[in-house]
Amino acid sequence: LVAFTPLAKGFLSGRYAERPTFDHPEDNRSGRFQFSEEGFRYYQQALDLIRGFAEKKGATMAQICLGWMIRKKPWIVPIPGTRSPERMRENLASADVALTAEDIAKIDEALNRMNLADAAARRMNKPQISK
C-alpha cells in the first residue's frame, strides 16, 4: 500500500498558519479544505495530537506522521513529495523516530475518538463509513 500525500499536501507538517497563501501558479493547495479556515478548525485536534508527540519525541510533526505510517504495517509505504533537499532529509529521518507500539496505540486511539473519517464523509455529503 502506498500512502499518497501522507502529509496532506504539507498540512500535517505544522508549517502553515490559518489561511496560508501559495504563490506558485501550479500549487493547488489554496483550494483544499484542510487549508481553509474551517479546515484548520476541523483538524485542530489532530494537529495538536501530532504536535504533542513531536515535542515529546524531539521530532518534527512531519516525522511523527511518517514514522506512524511506517510503523503501522510493514507493507505501508508513505511517499512524501518535496522540492526541498532540507525536507527530504527531514522526511528520511522519520525512520529514526522512536515511536513505540504504545505510542502507535495512543495515536490510533486518539484519532479514532476524533471520528475524522465519518466527519469528512458528512462534509462531502457521502455515506458514513461503518466500523
Side-chain angles (χ1 to χ4, degrees), residues 8-9 11 14 16 26 30 43 50 52 54-55 59 63 67 70 73 76-77 83 85 87 94 101 107 111 123:
K9 301 284 187 181
F11 179 78
Y16 299 103
E26 294 179 21
S30 291
Y43 291 113
I50 297 164
E55 290 170 359
Q63 289 170 334
I70 290 167
K73 302 285 182 192
I76 295 176
V77 181
R83 292 184 179 98
R87 293 288 82 75
S94 65
I107 292 169
L111 290 172
R123 178 181 56 78

Side-chain angles (χ1 to χ4, degrees), residues 48-99:
D48 291 344
L49 171 71
I50 297 164
R51 188 175 292 106
F53 269 92
E55 290 170 359
K56 178 178 158 187
K57 297 292 183 175
T60 66
M61 289 175 65
Q63 289 170 334
I64 294 298
C65 292
L66 296 172
W68 172 77
M69 283 181 238
I70 290 167
R71 285 161 185 81
K72 287 289 291 177
K73 302 285 182 192
W75 38 264
I76 295 176
V77 181
I79 301 179
T82 185
R83 292 184 179 98
S84 161
E86 181 183 339
R87 293 288 82 75
M88 178 65 78
R89 285 188 289 276
E90 175 187 356
N91 293 341
L92 288 171
S94 65
D96 299 326
V97 174
L99 288 173

Side-chain angles (χ1 to χ4, degrees), residues 42-43 111-112 114-123 126-129 131:
Y42 181 82
Y43 291 113
L111 290 172
N112 287 338
M114 291 178 205
N115 294 318
L116 296 176
D118 288 344
R122 283 193 303 274
R123 178 181 56 78
K126 293 183 179 179
Q128 290 186 356
I129 298 167
K131 296 180 181 174

